[in-house]
């Protein structure tokens, strides 16, 4: 059966750990499963890190990446999502898409499954989840902190796709997750209940950043204004006042705590420059690990 990665929860705990092991292994051990094959990289939303890391991941697996803008495929305007998926599956060994709506990648996966085409669909980001970032984050935490079971990860800011995938992978790996989000930008009761049933970790939520970061081994944040939310910029800044990760927040974390941000960052909004450039920051290692995590994910989906 073709393996897709649409959400972190598509993989079991054992599979997540296997992918992380592969991501940490020498590149030679991954082989070249994409030799003489193509990879379709569809971007409804542009990205610096995602484009560069995915193109290089495909190249290092022996393949040829083809970058395609959203207006070139025209999901449901030029042709249906399902038709795009079937067409690309005839050319490529893997299809990866960075989309606005999560239902797009779900429809793509359903279309290739219905045809029995063994081409994995990889979610490079949707409005619901960002699983590739979560794998890179887990890889970075494991490299810096060692075993993650029982460790505490704090996420401060807007509970959206990045936070959701981070919480999922952290819980699956047995971590304690603390969310600090302002009212209206937090995880609702149903979402907290869903997360509580994932893995062996536990999750709590507060409106106080210092409380979430107290004793945490990893402190994460993300931009308060994502692509497409520019009109909400000033309202969001007001809503998130007091949620910047600064030195006082990091001071309350564990002694070996690391600071993480998926980037791009609005410096001195969601995090101060002194924290981002400080000794606890691993943001650029985290960015590089997108490449290594994505190679491992594609290798796994192409054949364990």
């Amino acid at each position: 059966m073709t393996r897709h990665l649409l959400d972190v929860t598509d993989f079991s705990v054992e599979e997540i750990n296997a992918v992380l092991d592969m991501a940490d292994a020498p590149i030679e051990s991954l082989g070249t499963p994409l030799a003489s094959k193509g990879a379709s990289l569809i971007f409804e939303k542009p990205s610096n890190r995602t484009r560069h890391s995915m193109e290089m991941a495909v190249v290092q697996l022996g393949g040829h990446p083809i970058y395609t803008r959203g207006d070139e495929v025209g999901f449901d305007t030029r042709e249906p999502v399902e038709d795009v998926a079937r067409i690309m599956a005839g050319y490529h060994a893997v299809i990866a898409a960075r989309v606005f709506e999560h239902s797009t990648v779900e429809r793509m996966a359903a279309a290739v499954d219905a045809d029995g085409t063994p081409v994995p669909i990889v979610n490079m980001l949707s409005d619901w989840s960002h699983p590739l970032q979560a794998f890179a984050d887990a890889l970075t935490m494991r490299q810096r902190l060692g075993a993650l079971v029982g460790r505490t990860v704090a996420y401060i800011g807007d509970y959206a796709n990045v936070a959701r995938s981070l919480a999922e992978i952290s819980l699956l790996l047995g971590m304690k997750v603390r969310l600090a989000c302002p009212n209206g930008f937090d995880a609702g009761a149903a979402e907290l209940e869903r997360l509580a049933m994932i893995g062996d970790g536990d999750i709590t939520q507060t409106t106080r950043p210092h409380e979430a970061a107290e004793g945490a081994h990893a402190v994460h944040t993300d931009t308060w204004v994502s692509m497409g939310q520019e009109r909400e910029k000033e309202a969001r800044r007001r809503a998130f006042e007091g949620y910047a990760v600064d030195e006082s927040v990091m001071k309350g974390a564990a002694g070996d705590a690391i600071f993480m941000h998926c980037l791009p960052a609005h410096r001195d909004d969601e995090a101060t420059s002194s924290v981002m450039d400080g000794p606890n920051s691993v943001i650029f290692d985290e960015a590089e690990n997108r490449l290594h995590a994505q190679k491992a994910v594609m290798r796994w989906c192409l054949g364990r």
Side-chain angles (χ1 to χ4, degrees), residues 110-128:
V112 298
D113 285 346
D115 286 351
T117 308
V119 175
I121 306 297
V122 177
N123 177 9
M124 295 192 293
L125 176 138
S126 69
D127 58 351
W128 174 259

Side-chain angles (χ1 to χ4, degrees), residues 154-177:
Y155 178 86
I156 298 171
D158 186 10
Y159 184 79
N161 49 7
V162 170
R164 179 175 291 108
S165 292
L166 172 66
E168 289 175 346
I169 202 164
S170 298
L171 290 165
L172 283 165
L173 293 174
M175 301 184 75
K176 299 174 182 178
V177 178

Side-chain angles (χ1 to χ4, degrees), residues 1-6 10-11 15 85 89 92-95 105 108-122 297-304:
M1 180 180 177
T2 303
R3 292 302 302 273
H4 307 297
L5 176 64
L6 309 185
D10 290 337
F11 283 22
E15 289 172 331
H92 299 283
V94 61
I95 302 170
V105 290
M108 295 178 81
V112 298
D113 285 346
D115 286 351
T117 308
V119 175
I121 306 297
V122 177
V297 165
M298 285 191 287
R299 181 67 181 87
W300 184 267
C301 289
L302 287 163
R304 275 71 67 197

Side-chain angles (χ1 to χ4, degrees), residues 9-254:
T9 51
D10 290 337
F11 283 22
S12 68
V13 176
E14 292 75 20
E15 289 172 331
I16 290 170
N17 278 309
V19 170
L20 295 177
D21 288 342
M22 291 170 66
D24 235 355
I27 185 173
E28 296 80 12
S29 66
L30 297 181
T32 55
L34 286 174
S36 301
K37 298 176 182 178
S40 173
L41 309 181
I42 304 172
F43 283 75
E44 275 196 301
K45 300 177 71 173
S47 172
N48 177 20
R49 276 149 299 280
T50 301
R51 179 176 180 179
H52 282 265
S53 60
M54 280 297 286
E55 287 195 8
M56 288 309 303
V58 171
V59 168
Q60 291 182 16
L61 292 177
H64 180 77
I66 296 184
Y67 173 90
T68 307
R69 299 191 312 271
D71 59 352
E72 292 178 297
V73 294
F75 286 134
D76 290 333
T77 54
R78 295 186 74 244
E79 53 190 330
V81 168
E82 290 78 7
D83 288 1
V84 173
R86 292 184 176 106
I87 290 164
M88 293 298 183
Y91 303 145
H92 299 283
V94 61
I95 302 170
R98 181 178 170 92
V99 299
F100 286 103
E101 297 179 1
H102 191 71
S103 61
T104 300
V105 290
E106 292 178 326
R107 290 168 62 191
M108 295 178 81
V112 298
D113 285 346
D115 286 351
T117 308
V119 175
I121 306 297
V122 177
N123 177 9
M124 295 192 293
L125 176 138
S126 69
D127 58 351
W128 174 259
S129 64
H130 199 351
L132 293 178
Q133 183 64 55
F135 272 93
D137 289 348
L139 178 61
T140 307
M141 290 190 291
R142 198 172 75 160
Q143 288 172 341
R144 290 301 185 113
L145 302 172
L148 297 181
V149 174
R151 294 277 195 170
T152 299
V153 55
Y155 178 86
I156 298 171
D158 186 10
Y159 184 79
N161 49 7
V162 170
R164 179 175 291 108
S165 292
L166 172 66
E168 289 175 346
I169 202 164
S170 298
L171 290 165
L172 283 165
L173 293 174
M175 301 184 75
K176 299 174 182 178
V177 178
R178 298 180 189 159
L179 305 174
C181 313
N183 293 325
F185 299 91
D186 52 356
E191 175 69 353
L192 288 173
E193 184 177 346
R194 182 188 73 86
L195 291 171
M197 299 175 67
I198 295 175
D200 295 324
D202 62 67
I203 185 163
T204 58
Q205 183 169 246
T206 179
T207 57
R208 301 180 178 88
H210 288 81
E211 181 180 331
E214 183 67 30
H217 302 98
V219 179
H220 292 245
T221 191
D222 187 15
T223 180
W224 297 337
V225 185
S226 296
M227 194 178 301
Q229 298 174 334
E230 289 79 9
R231 293 183 178 180
E232 306 170 29
K233 183 176 180 179
E234 292 309 315
R236 280 177 165 267
R237 278 184 168 174
R238 290 191 296 271
F240 286 94
E241 186 175 349
Y243 280 80
V245 179
D246 57 19
E247 291 178 344
S248 69
V249 172
M250 293 303 299
K251 187 177 180 180

